[in-house]
Amino acid sequence: MSGVEGLAVGASRGHKVTKFERKAKQSRRAGRTSKRVKVIRSIIREVCGLNPFEKRMIDVLKVGAGNPDKKIYKIAKKKLGTHHRALRKREELKELYQQLKAKGM
């Protein structure tokens, strides 16, 4: 008897309707970087180079004494203010340093 639709009782009770599909809200996209912004940021990085604190972080990586990961995290945290921003900056600069080493600079 499960094939009957529109019954007032049972697991699939009630009037059958078609589900209304809504478009995704624009606010759900907030915070994601677009292709345009990525290109602009990469051009700015190319033209301007690194910030002084980023240069300092790269130097700490080059020397590598003690625990360089912890030290560059502390530098980034002090400048950027939050834990997650500091972690993101640390990963970004470690990747950049790997690229510089691969080029031979």
Side-chain angles (χ1 to χ4, degrees):
M1 184 131 229
S2 63
V4 180
E5 292 183 1
L7 284 181
V9 293
S12 58
R13 67 177 179 267
H15 183 71
K16 294 295 175 192
V17 293
T18 55
K19 183 87 172 150
F20 180 68
E21 290 295 322
R22 293 172 184 244
K23 267 200 290 184
K25 280 182 155 186
Q26 182 68 20
S27 62
R28 293 282 182 192
R29 208 190 153 280
R32 292 200 187 132
T33 50
S34 63
K35 292 177 197 168
R36 180 176 176 269
V37 171
K38 277 184 181 177
V39 169
I40 290 170
R41 284 182 184 167
S42 69
I43 291 170
I44 290 171
R45 173 52 61 96
E46 242 179 81
V47 172
C48 299
L50 298 171
N51 292 330
F53 85 95
E54 291 173 334
K55 288 178 185 173
R56 187 164 161 233
M57 289 167 71
I58 294 284
D59 286 341
V60 169
L61 272 175
K62 281 180 184 173
V63 172
N67 190 351
D69 275 1
K70 184 176 179 181
K71 186 69 177 167
I72 64 174
Y73 166 77
K74 287 176 86 172
I75 294 168
K77 173 90 164 48
K78 187 172 183 187
K79 276 291 182 187
L80 301 173
T82 68
H83 174 73
H84 285 288
R85 287 177 185 173
L87 291 180
R88 204 175 315 131
K89 181 61 75 174
R90 179 176 72 179
E91 293 308 313
E92 178 189 332
L93 286 178
K94 282 170 69 174
E95 193 176 301
L96 181 73
Y97 182 62
Q98 293 297 328
Q99 290 171 358
L100 289 175
K101 273 177 62 174
K103 283 184 181 177
M105 292 183 159

